[in-house]
Amino acid sequence: MAETTGSGTTAGASAPQPRKSSWKYIGPGIVVAATGVGAGDLVATLIAGSNFGYTLLWAAVIGCVVKISLAEAAGRWHLSTGRTLFDGWASLGRWTTWFFVVYVVIWGYVYGAAAMSSSGLPLQALFPDVMELKWWAILTGLVGLVFVWFNKYAVFEKVMTVLVGIMFVVTVYLAIRVTPNLGHAFAGLLPVLPDEKDSILNTLGLIGGVGGTITLAAYGYWVNAKGWTNTGWMKVMRLDNRVAYITTGVFVVAMLFVGAELLHSANVAIASGDKGLVQLSGILEKEYGTATAKLFLIGFFATSFTSLIGVWHGVSLMFADFVERYRKQRAGADSASLSGEEVASGAREKSVPFRAYLLWLTFPPMILLFQGQPFRLIIIYGVLGAAFMPFLALTLVWLLNSSRTPREWRNGWLSNGMLTIAGLLFLVLCIKQISDQDWGSFF
């Protein structure tokens, strides 16, 4: 979203020929949309629709616009500098490395269990007499591990595209099936707050919860993995990113329609978390029949499983990048910088660190499926997760306004405005998340 013209170059490289933005190139955007929209996002939007009807439709749309600016900034850094995002973070000081390491270790451990459980829930609902939820969860984790382990980005992207197609068909079908009141829906595009306690914080939470956390940082890595490594791909990347969040917007708006029409009008409440979607399948079965309920559960599985394999792939790429930089520094290399070309080569996806983090996401979290989630660890997980988005937004502002970025690709006023708004939004949500934790019991 930088206000730039021309096709700037990365240092020491000849000017690449600009490529026309074309639909045939898109792919990383589909991946980031699929990964970013998990079952939790759908439930949050459903609950917003059930509680407030169409009132917060505008907030869901703004959430997509905010995430467009973040993903575009991450992709622009990778293409304009030829360096990876972790390399940029490392240039800001050692504190960024420590934050990243603690984050990916603790977050990965807890998220692994949550992702497997979320993917297992719809399978258990579809096949209730086969096995318990924890075994379905373990099965999805193992399938995700094997799939990412043995396939490079090209195959990964194709499978994600198919699963996104399933998500799209299911959510749009449900939105049409509940017969939305389009007049009320258009009125919901006006920025009005619900007349409820904590309405501002609830609204900010909906804006911030649309479409991904660390997956936004992974977008630049998927851009490189696609083979886009210089500014000649900038127009393509921007089209791809817009497609990502238009797709996300369709998912979110469709589920808000379902919440507004099916739940709000009948004054029906569902549980927060993934189990709320299982409840919704029961409501759909009563209202529209078994076929619609089963179709919804298939879409629920596609939503959860794309988030699982997306994180298994994207965050493992980031972890491998971190380890490679550390290895270069320990070896005393003259330059420990990390390039997008290295990611594009596919070597990262076969590296030991990549596969080690895959194993970390899969096997240790299985302990939590049997023993439950340790209280203190969950608090730390929540705080780190809340802190990541302001960290991402504000470090991107720093990187893209400094000499680390070629002048023609630095932020303009629009990008700076959007990233600053995003950073402040997520900082408020981070403070709320920290204040809401049960610190008395923690100590």
Side-chain angles (χ1 to χ4, degrees):
M1 296 178 72
E3 298 73 16
T4 57
T5 58
S7 64
T9 64
T10 53
S14 59
Q17 291 300 310
R19 295 176 185 271
K20 293 181 180 178
S21 55
S22 172
W23 294 96
K24 69 180 180 180
Y25 292 125
I26 64 171
I30 297 296
V31 171
V32 78
T35 307
V37 179
D41 297 289
L42 297 188
V43 172
T45 312
L46 271 173
I47 291 175
S50 67
N51 289 340
F52 308 118
Y54 293 105
T55 305
L56 291 180
L57 179 60
W58 64 273
V61 173
I62 288 178
C64 292
V65 174
V66 167
K67 299 297 177 63
I68 285 175
S69 67
L70 283 164
E72 189 274 346
R76 177 155 45 92
W77 166 265
H78 277 248
L79 295 182
S80 66
T81 66
R83 299 162 64 190
T84 64
L85 184 55
F86 182 81
D87 197 43
W89 284 338
S91 73
L92 299 178
R94 190 168 293 180
W95 65 275
T96 60
T97 300
W98 284 111
F99 176 81
F100 177 78
V101 171
V102 174
Y103 177 83
V104 294
V105 171
I106 295 177
W107 180 88
Y109 180 58
V110 180
Y111 179 84
M116 288 187 279
S117 181
S118 179
S119 297
L121 267 173
L123 293 176
Q124 186 193 37
L126 283 166
F127 309 104
D129 300 322
V130 175
M131 53 186 171
E132 296 179 37
L133 172 60
K134 59 178 173 284
W135 298 112
W136 280 117
I138 288 170
L139 177 62
T140 60
L142 293 175
V143 170
L145 170 70
V146 171
F147 171 72
V148 175
W149 188 290
F150 289 106
N151 289 292
K152 287 194 174 183
Y153 175 80
V155 176
F156 166 72
E157 183 190 285
K158 287 182 173 64
V159 171
M160 292 289 271
T161 302
V162 170
L163 292 173
V164 166
I166 294 171
M167 292 166 61
F168 189 90
V169 169
V170 170
T171 54
V172 171
Y173 167 76
L174 289 178
I176 295 171
R177 194 76 171 84
V178 300
T179 317
N181 186 318
L182 295 181
H184 290 170
F186 282 117
L189 294 174
L190 296 174
V192 176
L193 291 174
D195 187 19
E196 301 280 346
K197 182 182 178 182
D198 294 332
S199 62
I200 293 177
L201 288 174
N202 289 333
T203 302
L204 292 178
L206 180 62
I207 293 172
V210 176
T213 52
I214 195 171
T215 54
L216 288 165
Y219 178 63
Y221 288 83
W222 285 322
V223 163
N224 288 157
K226 180 76 170 176
W228 306 348
T229 58
N230 57 48
T231 55
W233 291 99
M234 196 70 78
K235 290 181 181 179
V236 177
M237 181 276 291
R238 285 171 168 161
L239 173 64
D240 179 75
N241 180 45
R242 288 170 189 141
V243 168
Y245 283 95
I246 290 172
T247 305
T248 299
V250 170
F251 294 150
V252 171
V253 169
M255 294 310 289
L256 192 138
F257 281 8
V258 173
E261 294 294 340
L262 190 62
L263 304 178
H264 181 71
S265 58
N267 198 27
V268 175
I270 60 171
S272 60
D274 300 340
K275 291 184 179 179
L277 294 183
V278 177
Q279 282 183 271
L280 179 62
S281 72
I283 296 168
L284 288 169
E285 185 169 10
K286 289 180 182 177
E287 292 288 330
Y288 304 114
T290 302
T292 296
K294 298 292 186 187
L295 181 65
F296 169 72
L297 288 172
I298 292 169
F300 175 9
F301 171 74
T303 300
S304 298
F305 193 64
T306 51
S307 293
L308 186 152
I309 60 175
V311 166
W312 264 230
H313 187 276
V315 183
S316 296
L317 269 181
M318 296 180 70
F319 182 78
D321 204 39
F322 152 71
V323 173
E324 179 62 18
R325 192 176 202 281
Y326 179 76
R327 186 192 67 77
K328 284 184 175 182
Q329 286 181 323
R330 287 292 299 270
D334 293 335
S335 173
S337 63
L338 302 163
S339 72
E341 294 282 357
E342 294 174 269
V343 178
S345 71
R348 289 276 194 276
E349 295 164 275
K350 299 300 180 184
S351 68
V352 171
F354 180 91
R355 289 175 166 175
Y357 194 73
L358 272 179
L359 295 173
W360 174 253
L361 284 168
T362 307
F363 290 106
M366 290 179 184
I367 298 170
L368 301 183
L369 297 175
F370 288 90
Q371 296 185 351
Q373 298 180 345
F375 177 73
R376 287 185 175 85
L377 186 62
I378 296 307
I379 288 182
I380 296 171
Y381 166 81
V383 170
L384 286 171
F388 183 82
M389 290 304 285
F391 167 80
L392 175 63
L394 298 174
T395 53
L396 283 171
V397 170
W398 189 347
L399 289 170
L400 292 168
N401 283 286
S402 72
S403 59
R404 297 171 181 85
T405 304
R407 183 174 298 277
E408 59 267 43
W409 297 111
R410 292 178 197 168
N411 280 356
W413 65 268
L414 179 58
S415 289
N416 276 326
M418 292 300 297
L419 290 175
T420 301
I421 290 170
L424 293 175
L425 163 68
F426 291 116
L427 188 59
V428 170
L429 294 175
C430 177
I431 293 170
K432 181 179 185 298
Q433 176 82 2
I434 292 171
S435 65
D436 286 348
Q437 300 297 335
D438 186 3
W439 293 106
S441 299
F442 182 87
F443 295 107

